[in-house]
Amino acid sequence: MSLAEELKTITRKVYGKKQRMGTMGVLTRKNAAGEVEVLMLERRLKTPEKPEYGPPGGWAFPGGGVDEDEIPEEAIVREYKEEVGLDVRVIIVGYDTVWAQTNDFLENDFWRCFFFRVELVTEGQEPRLMEPGKHLRIEWVPYTKVCTRTVENKPDWKSFQSLENLFETRLDLWKPESLFKRL
């Protein structure tokens, strides 16, 4: 049984409803000064009335929902291609592919977000804004500014809740050595 199937079974049995799952991927590079930067998207606010082309909704890592027929590792690779046009692969950190995860309760629903460290399949690829209806811009953000960037404009509810939970529970996350260990 896959991780996705196992999670669906557990949450249906315990809580009487399906677990919704999402992913976010952390892609890093070193700039000319040797500082670590993280790829981030400025997302548009999404509402049931306006699913695209909404106002700025905050900053988050590329990522999105896990489809019924895929596992989280497949979802993050697909989402990177869809959102920023990059071919990436998941980096194994320690003994696992999952770098960190949060379990969030959003609008009467359960949302589990898996965070992955990813790397480019082929060096030299440049990110491109692939979904202008969902995102405003892409930016390489200095590693030390990621926490500030994600909360300064209050991202959309799913991304914000998962990132807020991650930052609050794992303050050690933003030390450079944390990129290479399971959180």
Side-chain angles (χ1 to χ4, degrees), residues 16 19 30 40 78-80 84 97 100 102 126-127 138 140 150 178:
Q19 167 88 36
K30 287 196 176 179
M40 297 191 80
R78 175 183 52 76
E79 288 288 348
Y80 253 83
V84 293
T97 56
T102 60
E126 289 296 326
I138 304 168
W140 287 99
T150 57
S178 296

Side-chain angles (χ1 to χ4, degrees), residues 129-145:
L129 194 61
M130 304 297 288
E131 300 176 308
K134 296 180 181 179
H135 310 109
L136 289 165
R137 61 187 167 135
I138 304 168
E139 191 172 311
W140 287 99
V141 177
Y143 187 76
T144 56
K145 305 283 186 205

Side-chain angles (χ1 to χ4, degrees), residues 11 16 18 31 45 49 51 57-58 62-63 65 69 78 94 102 104-105 109 117-118 129 131-132 134 145 155 159:
T11 54
K18 182 176 114 174
N31 64 21
L45 189 61
E49 300 79 32
D69 62 340
R78 175 183 52 76
T102 60
D104 312 308
F105 190 73
D109 213 349
R117 288 273 290 116
V118 297
L129 194 61
E131 300 176 308
K134 296 180 181 179
K145 305 283 186 205
S159 297

